[in-house]
């Protein structure tokens, strides 16, 4: 019969601590909420979760820009600017993606969120 030495117990405790830390790290990673869409306009700054589909009308300098959040993607649907470059920008999905309607002074960008809050809308 083999006898455990004190160092064996220390190694066992270290192994168990590392296993516990790994389990906590993996389970807490899945608790992050969806990325956020940050909308800057002359009216202020608004925050919307990309997890909830919606259509947003944002008042800008020359009129209303229409934004759409659908299937975790955000994009300009329409804007009062003359050349519609913002509408042609495409979908924003990843952290730090951005688009802007400069004539209307509306800028949108995606920001990763580490909070578990269930946001509907936040004004900063």
């Amino acid at each position: 019969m083999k006898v455990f030495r004190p160092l064996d117990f220390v190694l066992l405790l270290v192994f168990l601590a590392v296993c516990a830390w790994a389990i906590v790290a993996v389970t807490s990673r899945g608790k992050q909420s969806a990325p956020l869409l940050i909308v800057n306009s002359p009216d202020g700054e608004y925050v919307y979760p990309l997890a909830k589909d919606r259509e947003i009308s944002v008042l800008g300098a020359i009129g209303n820009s229409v934004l759409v959040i659908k299937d975790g993607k955000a994009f300009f649907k329409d804007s009062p600017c003359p050349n519609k470059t913002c509408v042609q920008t495409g979908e924003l999905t990843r952290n730090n993606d951005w688009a802007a309607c400069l004539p209307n002074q509306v800028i949108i960008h995606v920001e990763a969120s580490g909070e578990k809050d269930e946001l509907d809308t936040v004004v900063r």
Side-chain angles (χ1 to χ4, degrees):
M1 185 164 135
K2 217 172 197 183
V3 177
F4 283 105
R5 294 174 286 186
L7 187 57
D8 293 337
F9 284 112
V10 170
L11 289 174
L12 180 63
L13 288 175
V14 168
F15 175 75
L16 291 175
V18 169
C19 288
W21 174 81
I23 290 170
V24 169
V26 168
T27 56
S28 66
R29 187 181 332 163
K31 293 183 181 179
Q32 292 181 349
S33 62
L36 303 173
L37 177 68
I38 313 297
V39 180
N40 291 298
S41 72
D43 247 6
E45 184 175 85
Y46 302 90
V47 181
Y48 301 94
L50 283 181
K52 184 176 179 185
D53 293 353
R54 66 176 78 200
E55 189 168 296
I56 306 159
S57 181
V58 180
L59 181 61
I62 61 173
N64 285 327
S65 291
V66 179
L67 308 173
V68 173
I69 299 174
K70 185 171 182 169
D71 300 328
K73 302 171 185 171
F75 57 92
F76 277 94
K77 180 178 179 181
D78 191 29
S79 199
C81 55
N83 58 5
K84 308 279 189 210
T85 303
C86 54
V87 176
Q88 299 169 12
T89 303
E91 298 173 333
L92 311 180
T93 58
R94 293 177 293 175
N95 191 26
N96 296 324
D97 280 354
W98 65 276
C101 181
L102 295 180
N104 204 24
Q105 299 176 7
V106 175
I107 300 170
I108 63 175
H109 73 277
V110 174
E111 189 174 288
S113 171
E115 301 174 9
K116 190 174 165 40
D117 294 341
E118 289 294 326
L119 296 176
D120 186 42
T121 302
V122 175
V123 178
R124 292 192 214 180

